[in-house]
Amino acid sequence: VYRPGDAKETVAAMFSSVTRQEGPTALIFSRQNLDQNNDVDFMARREGALKGGYVAKKETADLDLIILATGSEVQHALKAAADMPGARVVSMPCMEAFERQSDEYKEEVLPSSVTKRVAMEAGVTGLWYKYASKVIGVDEFGFSAPGDIVMKEKGMTPENLKAEIESM
């Protein structure tokens, strides 16, 4: 399952879906307009997305927090972390592909020494507890409204993410 967070991740997801021969690939796209993470080189985004997860924003001070996100929530994670020098944002468009990477790569992206971790996904939250101690997500369906209203009502905003991090 791929939930790309921008156009370059979408290219990687499409490539993976047509080249992977070990089983099916589901591509889950957002209906909302997404910010493009142009702060990371486009090839690094493609290659990182093919690996299932990568550092979308590197910390500029001692690493003390990892924010994981997928799909449209990556843009919220990047905004929330913008003024947090010790925060790293990891975009994880495909957990299954990330799990197939070497232990060294996984440790490089998600150092085990950093235990303060939060994940954000507007979808099923249960899988994220493998990587994070706190998960912000939506485990219900049925609220019908324009996307930005639904996201705000369900707490899928940079402001709510920051508030949840501050409460940790």
Side-chain angles (χ1 to χ4, degrees):
V1 174
Y2 265 93
R3 281 199 68 222
D6 69 9
K8 299 305 178 199
E9 289 187 8
T10 299
V11 170
M14 292 294 294
F15 180 81
S16 177
S17 74
V18 298
T19 58
R20 184 166 184 257
Q21 297 182 12
E22 300 82 30
T25 301
L27 304 176
I28 311 299
F29 299 113
S30 175
R31 293 181 295 164
Q32 287 74 41
N33 292 326
L34 302 178
D35 294 342
Q36 301 302 301
N37 184 12
N38 293 321
D39 290 338
V40 176
D41 174 72
F42 76 94
M43 284 305 292
R45 282 185 282 161
R46 284 187 192 177
E47 291 168 5
L50 283 170
K51 291 179 178 180
Y54 66 98
V55 177
K57 177 207 170 276
K58 189 158 177 53
E59 64 282 359
T60 57
D62 290 342
L63 178 61
D64 62 6
L65 167 69
I66 298 175
I67 304 170
L68 298 103
T70 188
S72 59
E73 293 76 55
V74 174
Q75 64 188 345
H76 302 316
L78 291 167
K79 287 176 184 170
D83 62 352
M84 297 179 184
R88 170 181 293 188
V89 175
V90 172
S91 177
M92 192 172 292
C94 183
M95 287 182 184
E96 297 86 355
F98 186 74
E99 284 301 314
R100 290 192 294 268
Q101 302 309 308
S102 69
D103 290 340
E104 293 78 18
Y105 180 77
K106 290 186 278 190
E107 180 67 21
E108 179 185 322
V109 174
L110 298 173
S112 56
S113 60
V114 181
T115 58
K116 187 176 180 182
R117 299 179 182 188
V118 61
M120 181 181 235
E121 179 178 10
V124 178
T125 59
L127 299 172
W128 288 101
Y129 287 102
K130 178 175 185 170
Y131 305 108
S133 56
K134 184 174 196 82
V135 181
I136 301 154
V138 180
D139 285 315
E140 60 191 33
F141 297 91
F143 183 37
S144 181
D148 58 336
I149 293 172
V150 172
M151 295 298 258
K152 185 175 182 181
E153 288 294 319
K154 296 298 182 181
M156 298 285 104
T157 65
E159 297 80 17
N160 185 57
L161 177 56
K162 277 186 95 162
E164 292 287 344
I165 290 167
E166 289 168 3
S167 75
M168 292 176 74

